[in-house]
Amino acid sequence: MKIVVLSAFISFFFYTAAAAQTTERDSFDVGVEAFNAGNCKEALRIMKKYEKTQPIAAYVVKICSLMQTEQKDQSRSYDLFLNALDKGDLSQFDKIAMIDRFNEQISGFSGAMYVHSLNDRAKRGNASAAFQMGLLHQEGRGANLNFNAAARFFQQAAETGNPDALNSLGVYFRFGIGIKKDEKKAEELLKKAVLKNNVKAFYNLGLLYADQKDFLQARLLAELGLNRIDPDNDKKKYARMKELLTQSEKQLSPLQTAYLEKFRPSWLTPVLSARETEQFDVPADLPLPPKEMIEETPFMKFIRKDAFDNRYKTFFPLMPDWVGVKKPGKRNPNLKGKSLPAPAPQETQAITALYFRPSDPRFIHLTLTDENSAVPVMVGDILTLTVYTPLHETDATRKGGHMYIKNTGYRLKIRDPGKVLAADGSFVLTPLSAQTARRESWLSRRFVIRRPGSALIRFEPQNVPDGKEIFPHTVTIVAKQGVPPK
């Protein structure tokens, strides 16, 4: 249940039903803002005052109450787990996590000698012995039941990279067992254990992500974990991993599902099989997708806004293939200290918007900063590309004429055998400031994406005046036909 999905719906009622409200601390509009910001506690406190008179306030109260109940239930289950552990009910470990257990009996003189030998080797830095000592203290076998001591031994073994110790210590940090609770540290340790192919860590990290509502990564980890478990020899582990996979898949949005059909997060590269690395792209520069599609940004805007105003009910993700460049080349040194009119194609904000958008046309504006760039677009997009350029005077401009591309030292070369692009309008020069308007400018060119395919656009230096540096830019355009909305 995500608050952001409801933001547009709430905002509509805010403007129609609450326009007359004041902006005092507990006004209706402040409650709406709290809800849209994800602050359910504050929204609930305010909206309870309006739930009998404002239908939308009653709706917010219902949603926030349900979300708080879910959080309390989860918190209560973990509290019960910890209380039971403190009372010696070690079976709780097998209900909430997957960690190593020591189930053998240790007794008599031989058992005491075994524990003494383990402890001695652990003190001398033996990681395997330290991990075993941690298990003995965790189970209270041959040593006192002591989670603090277990955590210390696990930490000692984990520092050497022992996968089992990394996994156990990650669980200890997550729940605060024998050590101060630290979820970030738990994630870090469990990630290390996953990258060492510890099967239990796939489950524990996936469960952590599921509790954080990151169902995409939870689903991926469960899938990878399942591939490492023999269902015939370990039915219980397989069943738990399968349940995590099933429950996570149910929570995925269409955008996240589309992502999983093409990509894998780059941090998982070391544990992906050869088949997976062939089947999926694993780009380091592509972030994880949000739950919902990105509709609009300052540099990517609607062409037909009415498409979203109840004209269509279903919009599909564009999800283009990865088109990043292997060798971006140098960055234009003339850009140092300058504010770009739009982001560069390789910036995270641009990548996120271009890959995780709905499949209907947009106005897109990007600034070329590197020698080589690549931009995924769809048929119908109107793309504006901007470069920085020094200016020089000509006889015509000295007599008062307007500056044009001939004053920039650039010429445009386009390689477009598939006729993907159509130029839209003329070149545009936009001064950086009134003071430097005759010396430097942003040079822009607009293109309409006509059909699927690829094209190459090059801003190439020509007739460079003495003392002027004109930086070359090449951008690859890869266009896809989007799925029309319904």
Side-chain angles (χ1 to χ4, degrees), residues 239-295:
R240 293 178 72 185
M241 201 78 81
K242 182 70 174 177
E243 182 183 9
L244 176 61
L245 174 68
T246 303
Q247 294 302 318
S248 299
E249 272 187 337
K250 290 179 181 178
Q251 301 294 329
L252 296 179
S253 69
L255 175 67
Q256 292 170 324
T257 300
Y259 169 91
L260 289 173
E261 290 172 357
K262 287 196 173 185
F263 299 109
R264 291 293 180 265
S266 60
W267 78 269
L268 284 170
T269 301
V271 294
L272 296 177
S273 67
R275 183 189 64 82
E276 286 172 314
T277 52
E278 289 178 5
Q279 183 180 356
F280 302 101
D281 277 325
V282 195
D285 295 329
L286 182 64
L288 290 170
K291 188 171 179 67
E292 303 304 325
M293 291 177 280
I294 298 172
E295 295 179 3

Side-chain angles (χ1 to χ4, degrees), residues 192-208:
K192 289 180 179 179
V194 162
L195 295 179
K196 290 178 177 288
N197 263 314
N198 184 280
V199 175
K200 302 179 186 73
F202 282 94
Y203 177 81
N204 292 327
L205 184 57
L207 194 62
L208 171 61

Side-chain angles (χ1 to χ4, degrees), residues 266-395:
S266 60
W267 78 269
L268 284 170
T269 301
V271 294
L272 296 177
S273 67
R275 183 189 64 82
E276 286 172 314
T277 52
E278 289 178 5
Q279 183 180 356
F280 302 101
D281 277 325
V282 195
D285 295 329
L286 182 64
L288 290 170
K291 188 171 179 67
E292 303 304 325
M293 291 177 280
I294 298 172
E295 295 179 3
E296 189 172 17
T297 73
F299 56 90
M300 187 181 77
K301 299 179 180 295
F302 292 100
I303 291 178
R304 296 190 306 273
K305 181 75 181 227
D306 64 316
F308 274 84
D309 294 339
N310 297 320
R311 183 174 175 183
Y312 300 110
K313 294 185 181 296
T314 304
F315 287 83
F316 302 96
L318 177 63
M319 200 57 64
D321 295 328
W322 178 249
V323 297
V325 290
K326 293 182 178 179
K327 295 181 179 179
K330 297 179 181 178
R331 180 182 170 89
N332 188 347
N334 296 312
L335 293 173
K336 187 175 181 180
K338 294 178 172 63
S339 297
L340 304 185
Q346 63 273 14
E347 289 182 28
T348 300
Q349 58 176 327
I351 292 172
T352 302
L354 292 173
Y355 280 89
F356 305 138
R357 52 173 279 198
S359 181
D360 67 305
R362 293 288 192 273
F363 287 110
I364 300 170
H365 184 192
L366 297 170
T367 306
L368 303 183
T369 58
D370 295 0
E371 284 184 84
N372 300 299
S373 306
V375 179
V377 290
M378 71 161 283
V379 175
D381 283 344
I382 298 175
L383 174 66
T384 299
L385 297 175
T386 296
V387 297
Y388 169 82
T389 178
L391 298 175
H392 61 273
E393 299 279 3
T394 63
D395 290 340

Side-chain angles (χ1 to χ4, degrees), residues 70-246:
E70 288 178 2
Q71 292 169 356
K72 287 178 181 177
D73 288 345
Q74 185 186 72
S75 176
R76 191 181 301 115
S77 68
Y78 288 149
D79 287 343
L80 291 172
F81 156 69
L82 292 172
N83 288 336
L85 269 187
D86 289 339
K87 293 177 180 178
D89 181 7
L90 303 183
S91 67
Q92 295 296 318
F93 276 125
D94 301 321
K95 297 176 182 177
I96 203 73
M98 283 190 193
I99 62 172
D100 285 272
R101 306 292 306 278
F102 191 97
N103 295 316
E104 298 177 18
Q105 292 295 328
I106 296 181
S107 60
F109 180 73
S110 61
M113 291 298 294
Y114 170 73
V115 174
H116 178 78
S117 174
L118 268 184
N119 195 35
D120 185 56
R121 283 188 288 137
K123 286 181 179 178
R124 285 185 277 128
N126 185 290
S128 179
F131 177 67
Q132 290 298 318
M133 282 301 299
L135 291 181
L136 294 180
H137 280 292
Q138 173 183 280
E139 307 298 324
R141 296 176 184 269
N144 294 330
L145 179 64
N146 188 327
F147 294 132
N148 299 84
R152 287 196 300 272
F153 279 113
F154 289 150
Q155 188 142 20
Q156 178 186 334
E159 287 171 357
T160 70
N162 182 289
D164 294 322
L166 287 166
N167 175 63
S168 292
L169 187 62
V171 172
Y172 273 47
F173 266 111
R174 186 190 170 188
F175 297 110
I177 303 168
I179 202 166
K180 186 178 179 181
K181 183 177 179 178
D182 188 336
E183 205 163 84
K184 286 186 178 180
K185 183 67 175 177
E187 181 182 359
E188 175 189 329
L189 291 164
L190 291 171
K191 270 190 170 183
K192 289 180 179 179
V194 162
L195 295 179
K196 290 178 177 288
N197 263 314
N198 184 280
V199 175
K200 302 179 186 73
F202 282 94
Y203 177 81
N204 292 327
L205 184 57
L207 194 62
L208 171 61
Y209 283 139
D211 287 346
Q212 292 176 347
K213 309 301 182 188
D214 185 352
F215 296 107
L216 184 143
Q217 292 204 90
R219 184 257 182 218
L220 272 175
L221 287 160
E223 179 189 8
L224 292 169
L226 276 176
N227 294 337
R228 288 158 173 78
I229 299 175
D230 183 345
D232 295 325
N233 294 331
D234 210 333
K235 293 180 180 179
K236 288 185 178 179
K237 280 183 186 173
Y238 190 86
R240 293 178 72 185
M241 201 78 81
K242 182 70 174 177
E243 182 183 9
L244 176 61
L245 174 68
T246 303

